[in-house]
Amino acid sequence: MPPIARFIIFILVSMVVFFWLIRFSLRQREIKPETRSLMLVMAIVVVGGMLFAKYGNNMGLPWWIYYTVPALVTLLLPPVVFRMSVSELRLYLILALFSSPVIHVVFSLVLGWKEYMPFIPVPSPMELLS
């Protein structure tokens, strides 16, 4: 599969996970966030973050910049935009911190794709058997 197709799949899966993460974190609210604001935040956090990381890496930026900037946007933007309460924030931060490694492990184990978080080596079953 071409690298661009993999990248698009990574983005789409990350968008679904992020959408669920926000909705789950804010599930106790009577008034849910507007779809438009959720989509805008998702575009900035997921699409913008992944493009920044991809092109930051390709441009030779140090890893601590092209991973830290999107991570900070992920951790800071949604709580501010959605004015999360302390309990919502706590749940959101826990889920946000674990979602990327889980996505990486699933892609690595199931498909052998390691581009999502290349600095965490997770062998696929095929690699373990060979």
Side-chain angles (χ1 to χ4, degrees), residues 65-91:
I65 292 177
Y66 65 80
Y67 274 105
T68 303
V69 170
L72 287 174
V73 171
T74 301
L75 297 176
L76 299 175
L77 185 64
V80 170
V81 169
F82 299 119
R83 297 184 181 114
M84 292 183 181
S85 68
V86 172
S87 61
E88 291 169 340
L89 177 62
R90 188 178 309 122
L91 178 60

Side-chain angles (χ1 to χ4, degrees), residues 18-126:
F18 184 79
F19 182 84
W20 172 84
L21 192 150
I22 294 293
R23 296 294 261 182
F24 186 76
S25 297
L26 304 178
R27 73 188 181 285
Q28 300 294 329
R29 290 188 177 185
E30 287 186 32
I31 300 173
K32 306 296 182 208
E34 291 182 13
T35 302
R36 189 174 63 150
S37 63
L38 180 54
M39 294 299 181
L40 179 61
V41 170
M42 187 167 44
I44 293 168
V45 169
V46 177
V47 179
M50 290 184 76
L51 287 171
F52 182 85
K54 175 92 171 147
Y55 290 105
N57 180 28
N58 291 347
M59 292 183 332
L61 292 176
W63 71 266
W64 55 269
I65 292 177
Y66 65 80
Y67 274 105
T68 303
V69 170
L72 287 174
V73 171
T74 301
L75 297 176
L76 299 175
L77 185 64
V80 170
V81 169
F82 299 119
R83 297 184 181 114
M84 292 183 181
S85 68
V86 172
S87 61
E88 291 169 340
L89 177 62
R90 188 178 309 122
L91 178 60
Y92 172 74
L93 292 176
I94 290 168
L95 293 173
L97 289 170
F98 285 105
S99 64
S100 289
V102 169
I103 292 169
H104 167 66
V105 167
V106 169
F107 273 110
S108 294
L109 286 175
V110 175
L111 300 172
W113 298 359
K114 300 179 185 346
E115 301 96 303
Y116 196 84
M117 294 178 81
F119 53 86
I120 300 175
V122 176
S124 68
M126 294 304 294

